Amino acid sequence: MMKTEAGEAFRSRVRSFLDRELGEGWPGIGALTPEERAVFRGRWREALREERLLAPTWPEEFGGGGLGLAEQAILQAELVEAGVPVLPLDTDQFAFTLIGPTLLHWGTPEQKARFLPRMLTAEDRWAQGYSEPGAGSDLFALSTRAVLDGDEWVVNGQKVWQTAAQDANWIFALVRTEPGESRGRGISMLLIPIDQPGVEVRPIRTITGEDEFCEVFFTDARTAADNIVGPRGAGSKVALTLLGFERGSASGALYAGYRIELDRLVALVRDRGLDQTDWVRDRIAQAHLRLEMLRYLGERNLAGALSGAPPGPESSIIKLYESEYHAQITELALELLGDDAVAWSGEPGVAHLGPDPLGSPSSPAAWIRQFLTSRAATIYGGSSEIQRNTLGEQVLGLPREPRPVQEAR
Amino acid sequence: MNTQAERDELRSVVRSFLESAQDLAAVRTALEHGHDAKTWTRLTGELGLGAVGLPESHGGTGASLGDLVAVTEELGRLLDPGPYLPSLVLAARLLTAAGGQEDLVAELAEGRRVATFVAAADDGTPLAAREQDGALVVSGVAPAVVHGATADILVVVADLDGAPTVVLVESGAPGVEVQPLPAVDGTRPLAAVRLTDAPATVVAAGAAARAALAETLCSARIALAAELVGVAQGALDLTTAYAKERQQFGRAIGSFQAIKHRLVDVMMEVEASRTLVRRAAEAVDEADPRAEELSRLCKAAASEAALLAGKASVQVHGAIGFTWEHDAHLFLKRAMGASRLLGSARDHRQHIAALLLDGHAATLEESR
């Protein structure tokens, strides 16, 4: 990627920060025990926050770093390469990549002043409330509803698949506030406190055997009338806006993370004496090729964002590429493990989502878990099938599937 | 070096010329009668597109591979049947890299002469050269030479006493036998070339020849990968248009996910390959040490993208796509031919595997 003087100066700043904080011989967070990791995450988050690198692109008045997209991309790549998390808590991704940027765009001055600083201190920890049992890919079929009662919204319904909601104390949710309006038009985005009698969070066990995400039940749950983001009935528009945020900035981190993973896989190939086996060589070369494609698609996306060009198809393409690449590479890992891929042996893996970070074990247990967790990425955030519909319709201009007649009103 | 905007302009020059002067019906004529010489001289000489990517010292517009790939991608999109690849990408660049031959390269660039690249295999495996009565002669067989029967001059890779050598052989010289082959891809004719003590002139020898050959093959892989991206894009455009228009079960077949998703898969491979091709061309222009690796990556990627697009095109068109009269097979066959030229995807993956697994990891490490 094109290097600039300012960018490289920022990179050195990040590197000296990393040297100062991590010291000599830091092996990467993946090498820590689960207990050490939990402690490190807290300490690391504080260090990032004090350096104003936790929300690098947010305005300084809210505790952000006031930096640009280019710096953010450099920062993320440097952190991942160094083996430290970009967003240390599981709830952070929802605060810093979703509701935070949404509030910066749509929020009132009061909302920004109230919520953004508390995201940085982790006094407020966020979960996302979009999907429902009856509204997955067809998000706007959602039925959780809220009615205004004096100066409060009263919320009833159920949300599902809330990653890390057991750690969260706030949820941003799409709810139906305008009965009679059809589908997308009747929806608003509300900010709802979780710690109240009307909200119940129940964990859901995933295919890895862990309680990693939740369902959230609202029974006359309450939130202040002004905890609405954007105008009433504009929730679907507000929700779609956030898909455009941070375009491209994650590309460096994405590449760095998957490169660390591929290096680990190449080491596994050597350890198992498979490095002269033809099919293995072909598949490893193919993995390298796919990863380089992902890398330059990411750089192109970032370059487009930096030059102010209107968003192209890159974001959807990258989402598909990334998730499918990860599914393929973890599948290859299990093929390399052969008969060892049938039992959870060795050190457990580290990451809940995405590739295991620097220092993580290369055990059967870790790779099996990666294989399983990689199944999630082709489902969440718009399944691969939905992404292909979007690309087919918006980029190739193919006709939409006909919809049931009652929706046409 | 040109900016992306200037390159886009270059692309549209090629595109509008080919669309007006050489549509797919004209390409079909070439299947029977070879490429149209008048179109070729207009493309190269009049429009000056033969000079793209060649240094000014050789009558070119500047040695930018980024410019050249903008041209070859467009040539691929409309299945240009002319000898651009052998004459201007391979022969002219090899002569330029080997040094000298300014006049001949300028003639090639203007389309006044056509050259091709001759080796025992298109990875540059040499034929045999020896001294005979104080002159150099070359012998050996090049089994599938691109535009072998069209070219009037052969740029030959030969081995002279263990040293790689680049030599020129006139196609009309004694000892030159050219046998046209029934090429699968009729838009790019092939011929077997047999040389039997054919008289030759040395262009470069030893280390200079070896370096020139490596440099040329690296650039040519990228230019051909760009062509394959164009072929894939052309097939995708044809198929997408059909999927929007063709009605079955009362609606356009492109509304069915089975069709839509298949076309998106093609589009993704086209976009990713194009991105990789442009990065590879940039690496050559910047003398980036990763240029060689990237040239292999992009050729592998674009070869598979073009085959994917060609196969999808026949399938989505249904029975009409299986007919000779429909254009879908022209794209598929161009992909079949070009994906094998200058190394198949599998060949290049083998090289990449050696980089990754046989102790050359440092090269990749440095690239981060």
Side-chain angles (χ1 to χ4, degrees):
Chain A
M1 193 179 69
M2 201 158 69
K3 291 183 173 174
T4 64
E5 210 169 299
E8 293 315 292
F10 177 72
R11 192 187 303 278
S12 328
R13 182 192 140 194
V14 173
R15 286 188 178 168
S16 30
F17 163 69
L18 286 166
D19 287 345
R20 204 165 64 234
E21 289 296 326
L22 302 174
E24 286 278 306
W26 164 252
I29 190 172
L32 306 184
T33 64
E35 296 73 29
E36 290 169 335
R37 265 201 316 269
V39 173
F40 177 79
R41 281 179 190 282
R43 170 172 95 69
W44 179 244
R45 198 178 186 283
E46 275 311 291
L48 281 175
R49 189 172 70 87
E50 280 169 24
E51 195 71 16
R52 290 187 171 254
L53 294 177
L54 187 56
T57 59
W58 290 11
E60 295 184 44
E61 55 175 312
F62 304 123
L67 297 166
L69 207 54
E71 283 88 0
Q72 186 178 33
I74 290 169
L75 170 69
Q76 294 190 350
E78 289 293 322
L79 296 183
V80 172
E81 277 173 32
V84 287
V86 173
L87 296 170
L89 300 178
D90 289 340
T91 50
D92 282 342
Q93 58 173 311
F94 301 103
F96 295 105
T97 69
L98 294 171
I99 190 61
T102 303
L103 286 176
L104 280 169
H105 186 84
W106 286 95
T108 61
E110 294 74 26
Q111 285 173 335
K112 291 180 195 176
R114 175 175 172 200
F115 288 109
L116 296 177
R118 291 166 64 90
M119 289 178 195
L120 283 151
T121 57
E123 287 165 277
D124 290 350
R125 297 170 307 281
W126 287 86
Q128 179 184 32
Y130 282 14
S131 297
E132 297 183 2
S137 289
D138 187 10
L139 180 59
F140 297 146
L142 62 86
S143 62
T144 295
R145 63 199 182 280
V147 291
L148 209 49
D149 175 26
D151 56 359
E152 284 185 321
W153 292 101
V154 180
V155 188
N156 281 283
Q158 183 193 349
K159 292 289 177 182
V160 73
W161 320 133
Q162 277 65 54
T163 299
Q166 66 274 39
D167 303 330
N169 56 357
W170 280 84
I171 183 165
F172 57 99
L174 291 178
V175 299
R176 204 161 279 291
T177 54
E178 318 301 315
E181 287 284 354
S182 70
R183 289 178 59 87
R185 275 189 303 227
I187 293 168
S188 300
M189 185 183 284
L190 295 188
L191 310 176
I192 307 168
I194 287 178
D195 294 334
Q196 61 168 305
V199 179
E200 188 194 351
V201 177
R202 291 187 203 151
I204 299 173
R205 184 154 292 184
T206 73
I207 60 173
T208 67
E210 291 153 302
D211 292 341
E212 191 204 296
F213 56 6
C214 305
E215 52 191 336
V216 180
F217 296 84
F218 301 94
T219 312
D220 290 333
R222 289 180 172 263
T223 193
D226 55 8
N227 281 339
I228 181 170
V229 186
R232 279 181 73 147
S236 49
K237 193 174 170 194
V238 172
L240 288 175
T241 322
L242 38 103
L243 300 176
F245 291 131
E246 313 247 324
R247 170 183 166 209
S249 73
S251 61
L254 209 78
Y255 175 71
Y258 287 121
R259 178 53 69 185
I260 287 167
E261 178 184 62
L262 185 54
D263 285 349
R264 188 180 297 130
L265 195 69
V266 168
L268 182 71
V269 165
R270 290 218 173 86
D271 286 350
R272 300 229 155 199
L274 293 168
D275 54 313
Q276 297 305 314
T277 304
D278 281 346
W279 72 264
V280 174
R281 293 171 70 84
D282 197 56
R283 296 278 296 278
I284 289 287
Q286 182 68 3
H288 174 70
L289 168 55
R290 304 300 291 180
L291 180 51
E292 290 297 306
M293 282 173 148
L294 183 61
R295 173 189 195 171
Y296 294 116
L297 281 172
E299 288 194 3
R300 183 175 139 194
N301 195 25
L302 177 61
L306 291 173
S307 73
E314 295 89 355
S315 295
S316 284
I317 292 180
I318 288 168
K319 202 271 183 188
L320 273 168
Y321 246 102
E322 179 202 350
S323 56
E324 291 177 0
Y325 167 81
H326 197 211
Q328 287 157 9
I329 200 154
T330 55
E331 214 165 302
L332 173 57
L334 298 204
E335 285 186 64
L336 295 171
L337 289 168
D339 290 348
D340 288 341
V342 297
W344 298 92
S345 52
E347 295 282 311
V350 174
H352 287 309
L353 297 172
D356 274 341
L358 187 70
S360 299
S362 185
S363 62
W367 284 114
I368 292 165
R369 190 156 169 279
Q370 281 283 304
F371 171 84
L372 292 172
T373 58
S374 73
R375 308 297 111 185
T378 51
I379 300 170
Y380 66 67
S383 69
S384 292
E385 290 73 20
I386 292 295
Q387 301 286 341
R388 284 187 166 82
N389 282 352
T390 305
L391 285 167
E393 288 157 21
Q394 294 183 3
V395 179
L396 295 178
L398 292 169
R400 294 171 68 100
E401 283 191 279
R403 310 246 158 174
V405 180
Q406 65 268 25
E407 290 171 13
R409 59 184 163 142
Chain B
M1 182 172 320
N2 282 320
T3 63
Q4 192 57 50
E6 286 168 307
R7 281 181 190 152
D8 289 342
E9 176 59 31
L10 189 57
R11 299 159 74 84
S12 73
V13 168
V14 184
R15 184 179 298 199
S16 49
F17 171 72
L18 288 182
E19 279 171 354
S20 65
Q22 188 177 260
D23 58 10
L24 288 176
V27 170
R28 279 177 178 269
T29 310
L31 300 182
E32 308 284 327
H33 307 289
H35 74 277
D36 178 48
K38 199 179 289 174
T39 307
W40 173 247
T41 45
R42 282 182 64 200
L43 177 82
T44 48
E46 273 175 49
L47 286 175
L49 294 170
V52 174
L54 294 171
E56 285 162 20
S57 56
H58 290 65
T61 57
S64 159
L65 197 63
D67 293 349
L68 184 66
V69 298
V71 173
T72 58
E73 184 182 331
E74 289 304 318
L75 294 176
R77 212 177 64 86
L78 282 156
L79 304 179
D80 174 58
Y84 202 93
L85 177 79
S87 195
L88 296 167
V89 176
L90 284 161
R93 294 186 79 85
L94 180 54
L95 293 174
T96 305
Q101 301 296 331
E102 290 86 353
D103 295 343
L104 175 55
V105 171
E107 284 184 307
L108 297 177
E110 287 164 20
R112 286 189 281 133
R113 299 189 77 182
V114 171
T116 189
F117 172 78
V118 175
D122 66 5
D123 60 0
T125 306
L127 275 58
R130 65 188 178 90
E131 303 270 359
Q132 180 183 277
D133 307 327
L136 197 71
V137 293
V138 185
S139 299
V141 176
V145 175
V146 175
H147 282 269
T150 320
D152 45 305
I153 189 149
L154 312 177
V155 180
V156 184
V157 183
D159 178 283
L160 179 62
D161 302 328
T165 310
V166 176
V167 303
L168 290 177
V169 174
E170 296 284 342
S171 61
V176 178
E177 262 180 276
V178 179
Q179 181 62 47
L181 295 175
V184 172
D185 171 18
T187 67
R188 177 170 278 151
L190 299 172
V193 173
R194 176 186 296 274
L195 303 182
T196 311
D197 289 338
T201 324
V202 176
V203 179
R210 183 180 287 116
L213 184 62
E215 184 187 322
T216 302
L217 290 176
C218 175
S219 299
R221 256 178 236 129
I222 300 167
L224 181 57
E227 180 192 299
L228 281 155
V229 168
V231 172
Q233 184 71 60
L236 177 62
D237 292 346
L238 185 74
T239 316
T240 304
Y242 184 74
K244 288 178 188 174
E245 168 195 303
R246 170 72 173 166
Q247 301 277 325
Q248 288 288 274
F249 304 102
R251 52 178 165 139
I253 61 168
S255 66
F256 293 110
Q257 290 189 338
I259 304 291
K260 190 177 286 175
H261 290 190
R262 185 160 186 174
L263 294 181
V264 167
D265 286 342
V266 172
M267 184 264 281
M268 284 172 54
E269 296 307 311
V270 174
E271 290 295 329
S273 302
R274 179 181 289 124
T275 303
L276 209 47
V277 165
R278 289 189 184 173
R279 176 67 193 93
E282 188 179 81
V284 168
D285 287 338
E286 290 169 356
D288 184 329
R290 286 192 70 208
E292 167 82 11
E293 179 207 343
L294 285 164
S295 75
R296 294 185 186 280
L297 291 176
C298 75
K299 176 61 172 58
S303 295
E304 298 206 322
L307 285 168
L308 191 75
K311 289 183 290 187
S313 189
V314 171
Q315 176 69 24
V316 170
H317 279 93
I320 192 75
F322 188 66
T323 63
W324 185 266
E325 68 163 313
H326 197 274
D327 293 330
H329 73 109
L330 301 181
F331 288 93
L332 174 60
K333 289 172 181 171
R334 180 73 165 235
M336 289 167 74
S339 64
R340 292 225 59 93
L341 272 178
L342 303 179
S344 68
R346 187 173 293 271
D347 294 336
H348 292 304
R349 286 200 300 268
Q350 281 180 13
H351 282 271
I352 296 300
L355 278 178
L356 290 161
L357 293 167
D358 298 342
H360 305 295
T363 325
L364 292 166
E365 194 62 43
E366 287 159 11
S367 76
R368 307 268 168 87

